[in-house]
Amino acid sequence: MDSMLLDIEKLNVTIDTAAGPLKAVQNVSLRVAKGETFCIVGESGCGKSITALSLMGLMPKRAKRRAERMMFDGTDMTTLGESGMRRLRGNRISMIFQEPMTSLNPVFTIGQQLTDVMRAHSRVSLAEARERAAFLLNKVGITNARERLGQFPHELSGGLRQRVMIAMALMCSPDLMIADEPTTALDVTIQAELLRLLRDLQQEFEMGLVLITHDLGIVSRIADRIAVMYAGQIVEDGTADEIFGNPLHPYTQGLIACIPSPDHPRMQHLPSIPGTVPPLIGGLKGCHFRERCPYAMPSCMEEIELKGHEAAHRYRCILPAQTSAAHAKMAQGEQVHA
Amino acid sequence: MLQYTLRRLASAVILMLFVSFVAFALVFTAGDPAASIAGEGGTAADAERIRSVYGFDRPLVLQYASWLGRVLQGDLGQSIYFNQPVTSILIERFQATMLLGVLALCFALLLAIPLGIAAGRWPNSIVDRVALLFAVVGQAMPTFWFALLLIILFSVTFPILPTSGGETWRHMILPTIVLGYFAAPAIMRLTRSGMIAALETDFIRTARAMGIPSSKILSSYALRNALLPVVSLAAAQFGFMLAGSVVVESVFAIHGAGRLVWESILRSDLPTIQALVLCFSMFYVVLTLVADIINAWLDPRIRDA
Ligand code: SF4
């Protein structure tokens, strides 16, 4: 248990809206070990990003966070005030975001923004901080690192800006990096490069990595463990091998069926799960996936708990594992014939 | 940056030439200048004599060139009313106006920007409400009325400050407050909305995620972005305070340029009016230039555009 870097138990985030409280995150528990890559997957609007932001204590103003336990490397984050959290952020836990074009401050140089991060957390001279910044820009694959320090964000492409963000997140050698859809806004070739870069850096810096994405294709290349989120809840979690080899929740099965596979590279339409994520205002009863689930039945109206073995594989569905697995096989068969 | 400055400077010079021509041509739009100088009792012969003395009978371009040459040497002509060189009158008047304008601008900025930051940092809080009230009052209250109110309060009821004149620093306090308070609300509102917008940006979220202290986020990361539009507004306000301080200068009996404009129009002192128009428009050109350069210094994207 002490090897756990992040240990979150029953995290709830509620946002006050004009239409009533919105339960964006419901009883989410997750554990990330040191050096592990943990992926949170789901469509947009599932509560992935808000989960990540609330781990950092950066929820929107009207959001309230409640959790039974929020431990980071032995520290109870619920007892840390804003100043304690600030000292963790960017220092031991850092975060990168989806929008490389707007995530850097347009009026300060790259060098200034990178060195500021380091100087916010340790007493280093400007020269040392610049040294570190140049070293990291180099590490993330940016050439002419020293000249780049004097440039402004608008002088760089989206891909380069995201690399700068990664370098910024590494300034203080964090133990954990949270990456929220880090490659979604970029084009495909750059996506692959950046993903490889993140994986390499993670190994080199021995960081835990929490990667948030809607793209199971990415997850299959990088994840050690996976949590699938749907409408504010974790519907399935476990090791990557288990989730991909033996998906048990109909939602996960649907997502996997939607991965464009190399065998059929260009299908006419990418298959997708019909329907959309239900609105979370007021709170949903029973299985949240009910309206889109092909196997839904009356008993799915009951409250359903995660079942299975915590460390290996859990899922939130009333179907017995065997039935579910058989569905998955059938669905795969269908796809091959499609 | 240097390149931008030079480019901007070049266009300012062109603009100045154009404006100076307009100021020059102003004399002719007001009717026959020789006749107006000769005055009501002047004969046609007088006008003729004046015409040749002043050179009104030469081609317009030549007149403009020689006028511009004189202006560049600091000769703005002779005031008809004072019978003195316009330049020396303007220097004397502009000293008071400039002092008042700069003081008022500083007062407005010192009042409006911190208040705007606080209001933008805590929207809908007590601070924000107070700031809003202050802005509404500032915009609704006529300047002369506010000036009289302050005089009654600080010079009559509690006689601690002089009512009028511009001799000592104590004379400048009330006019500064009146003029500055008039300019402050717009600056405050713009700072506030700029701050609110800036604090919601992705790059502020990044800064917070990187553990940048909130004091630094507020005073540097967000403020620098929020201030960009404020710089242009403040420059325009400053120009307005210089040219539009007639009311304040009149109420406090300060012999400034604002009052001179008004007086000169009443006296149809054409050379003085022309010089004032020229000076004020030059000020505007310079202020815009300065604002643009400050903005380019604050925002690298402008430099490269
Ligand atoms: S609980 Fe019912 S509705 Fe929900 S995923 Fe399972 S079968 Fe489908």
Side-chain angles (χ1 to χ4, degrees), chain A residues 7 39 53 68 83 100 109 131 138 145 154 165 169 174 197 225 229 265 268 302 325 327 334:
Chain A
D7 181 0
C39 287
L53 286 172
E68 262 174 31
S83 75
T109 60
E131 199 58 42
N138 212 357
H154 73 275
M165 276 297 296
L197 175 68
R225 288 163 47 78
M229 275 190 84
Q268 223 81 63
E302 288 158 25
H327 284 318
E334 263 169 40

Side-chain angles (χ1 to χ4, degrees), chain A residues 14-207:
Chain A
T14 309
I15 303 173
D16 275 332
T17 68
L22 186 155
K23 294 184 180 166
V25 179
Q26 298 171 26
N27 290 329
V28 164
S29 303
L30 41 92
R31 290 192 180 147
V32 182
K34 284 181 177 139
E36 181 180 63
T37 301
F38 187 94
C39 287
I40 303 179
V41 203
E43 292 160 291
S44 55
C46 280
K48 297 166 295 173
S49 296
I50 189 99
T51 303
L53 286 172
S54 59
L55 293 182
M56 303 280 286
L58 292 177
M59 303 80 74
K61 267 188 209 130
R62 275 167 296 124
K64 271 192 222 53
R65 180 184 79 179
R66 196 157 36 78
E68 262 174 31
R69 187 170 65 234
M70 289 190 80
M71 301 291 281
F72 172 74
D73 202 17
T75 315
D76 184 353
M77 292 197 286
T78 55
T79 61
L80 291 177
E82 169 54 29
S83 75
M85 280 308 293
R86 183 197 71 74
R87 258 172 266 138
L88 281 186
R89 290 198 290 262
N91 187 14
R92 304 202 55 204
I93 313 177
S94 58
M95 184 161 181
I96 60 174
F97 300 94
Q98 180 174 353
E99 305 83 6
M101 301 312 277
T102 52
S103 289
L104 293 167
N105 198 324
V107 301
F108 293 106
T109 60
I110 306 296
Q112 166 107 54
Q113 296 185 55
L114 289 173
T115 52
D116 275 355
V117 174
M118 195 167 189
R119 285 152 68 81
H121 297 291
S122 52
R123 290 177 185 279
V124 290
S125 71
L126 190 57
E128 282 172 273
R130 284 183 77 84
E131 199 58 42
R132 170 92 181 153
F135 168 78
L136 283 173
L137 285 184
N138 212 357
K139 262 267 170 295
V140 298
I142 294 181
T143 49
N144 306 337
R146 276 180 199 285
E147 286 158 44
R148 299 287 187 192
L149 289 180
Q151 288 189 313
F152 290 93
H154 73 275
E155 299 173 77
L156 308 180
S157 68
L160 280 184
R161 291 191 209 182
Q162 196 62 302
R163 286 173 197 267
V164 171
M165 276 297 296
I166 295 173
M168 191 188 283
L170 292 173
M171 279 304 279
C172 298
S173 304
D175 303 286
L176 178 68
M177 185 192 288
I178 302 176
D180 187 359
E181 302 270 11
T183 62
T184 307
L186 304 168
D187 76 50
V188 186
T189 47
I190 297 174
Q191 274 191 15
E193 274 174 40
L194 272 185
L195 211 59
R196 212 171 311 126
L197 175 68
L198 272 179
R199 205 178 42 198
D200 293 348
L201 289 171
Q202 182 210 5
Q203 266 152 25
E204 186 177 338
F205 286 78
E206 297 173 336
M207 292 183 297

Side-chain angles (χ1 to χ4, degrees), chain A residues 249-250 287 289-290 293 295-297 300 304 316-319:
Chain A
H249 195 282
C287 173
F289 190 54
R290 207 172 56 236
C293 179
Y295 319 116
M297 53 188 121
C300 299
I304 298 155
R316 193 189 292 273
C317 174
I318 51 162
L319 295 176

